[in-house]
Amino acid sequence: MPGDALSQDPAELRRRIDTTKAHPARVYDVFLGGKDNYPVDRDAAAAALAANPRGYLDVRHNRDFLRRAVTTLTAEDGIRQFLDVGTGLPTQENVHQIAQRIAPDSRVVYVDNDPVVLAHARALLTSGPEGRTDYIDADFKQPAQILEQAVKTLDFDQPVALVLVAILHFVEDEEAYPIVRELVDALPSGSRLVLSHLTEDLNPENVRAVQRTYTERGFTFVLRSKAEVERFFTDNGLELDDPGVVPAHRWRPDGNAPAPEAADPAYLATLDDIEKVRYRDINDVTDADINVYAATAVKR
């Protein structure tokens, strides 16, 4: 249960952390300007950035899609429960912060299996008094365990938004489609799926170069076509919301992407390329920059 996960001994958590191998959640953290990563993660991020110098836009626009999707589902569709699987490390504008700002009674359950994420999970458990936020230490490939724990916080008689943002490209087909089916099958009518996924459809040369840097480091890295991404919805009888499966920056843009931090040019000159990412403006994005599909859908 979430409480059990959070009560794990810090020494045991440290023992579980493998600092010799990059981890997707920690590489993602590097691109978001976080501090909870290791040299091996920064090396992986730097290699990906060298392969695709504007690749940080994929990560940042994926994150901004999450902001817009959660805002829409909470404010317009009345969703009050979220199951965020593969949440990654705590950063700004987490799902519970977005949802509870709009609807304070929202409930959010985060799921991840990286001990670094678990070690910082208390930063996620900052729910307002009207809502609730919990954390499950579980692998995406264990959907039954996820669901067994999630029902302790979420009411599966009421709609739940299943959030699978930037996780499925780390899972092979023979596991990815059945896992999503099992999770979606557990959701009641009116629930939603929020999904984003890397693809080689849009700018294949750029993303294939990035793929090579990650597979060389032992990551599973599956680039799926639009039709293959749509299968996560259509195979499960879900009805796609407008505008369907589209590049992440094209999903209901609202012009409110976060502005970059201000920094003195002299200071910026002292930083390496990966350290400069947090100061880059993502509002200058073009179609040639994005390799991520994004969509939401409803279960009737």
Side-chain angles (χ1 to χ4, degrees):
M1 61 184 292
D4 291 339
L6 292 174
S7 65
Q8 286 193 26
D9 180 63
E12 170 63 17
L13 285 177
R14 287 194 295 272
R15 188 192 65 77
R16 286 176 53 191
I17 297 170
D18 183 355
T19 61
T20 68
K21 183 179 179 181
H23 189 285
R26 301 195 306 257
V27 175
Y28 194 68
D29 181 62
V30 174
F31 278 111
L32 291 175
K35 304 295 186 184
D36 299 310
N37 49 70
Y38 296 92
V40 67
D41 305 305
R42 293 188 285 276
D43 288 346
L49 193 66
N52 180 16
R54 286 174 67 80
Y56 63 89
L57 289 164
D58 279 330
V59 176
R60 300 274 295 282
H61 275 279
N62 176 75
R63 190 77 189 179
D64 200 53
F65 158 69
L66 176 66
R67 175 188 64 81
R68 300 193 307 276
V70 172
T71 297
T72 299
L73 294 187
T74 308
E76 299 180 16
D77 300 313
I79 297 294
R80 296 294 180 266
Q81 302 188 106
F82 295 84
L83 178 58
D84 184 359
V85 184
T87 181
L89 288 148
T91 183
Q92 292 303 306
E93 292 298 274
N94 293 294
V95 171
H96 75 283
Q97 293 167 316
I98 302 166
Q100 292 180 354
R101 185 163 55 240
I102 299 166
D105 60 337
S106 297
R107 295 184 169 206
V108 179
V109 171
Y110 294 103
V111 183
D112 210 295
N113 71 329
D114 179 11
V116 175
V117 179
L118 177 56
H120 292 272
R122 287 184 179 84
L124 290 172
L125 304 182
T126 53
S127 174
E130 297 174 57
R132 186 172 174 187
T133 308
D134 271 325
Y135 181 91
I136 299 172
D137 179 23
D139 193 302
F140 175 66
K141 297 178 182 180
Q142 300 170 320
Q145 179 184 347
I146 291 171
L147 293 168
E148 178 185 355
Q149 302 300 333
V151 297
K152 298 175 181 179
T153 301
L154 305 178
D155 179 0
F156 278 76
D157 289 328
Q158 299 297 322
V160 176
L162 172 63
V163 180
L164 300 177
V165 167
I167 183 174
L168 287 164
H169 42 254
F170 298 115
V171 186
E172 298 285 2
D173 285 354
E174 62 269 20
E175 293 182 297
Y177 290 105
I179 290 169
V180 174
R181 184 179 305 114
E182 186 170 346
L183 291 171
V184 171
D185 282 350
L187 304 179
S189 176
S191 292
R192 300 286 177 138
L193 175 58
V194 180
L195 186 150
S196 65
H197 199 296
L198 280 166
T199 183
E200 62 181 354
D201 286 358
L202 305 174
N203 303 291
E205 185 175 345
N206 289 349
V207 77
R208 285 173 188 160
V210 172
Q211 181 186 40
R212 285 192 294 272
T213 70
Y214 285 144
T215 54
E216 287 168 358
R217 288 163 171 78
F219 288 9
T220 297
F221 207 82
V222 184
L223 301 172
R224 292 188 172 95
S225 67
K226 182 176 182 179
E228 290 168 329
V229 172
E230 287 175 340
R231 275 190 56 200
F232 288 112
F233 301 96
T234 57
D235 283 6
N236 295 300
L238 300 174
E239 181 181 316
L240 282 162
D241 299 317
D242 288 336
V245 175
V246 296
H249 67 306
R250 296 289 184 187
W251 195 90
R252 305 190 189 185
D254 61 5
N256 292 321
E261 295 182 44
D264 181 77
Y267 171 70
L268 285 176
T270 69
L271 304 180
D272 62 27
D273 288 343
I274 199 66
E275 292 171 325
K276 290 176 182 176
V277 163
R278 66 186 299 170
Y279 302 103
R280 303 292 191 198
D281 186 358
I282 69 170
N283 292 288
D284 65 346
V285 65
T286 71
D287 290 346
D289 293 320
I290 297 299
N291 303 283
V292 180
Y293 280 132
T296 67
V298 61
K299 182 176 182 178
R300 296 298 184 189

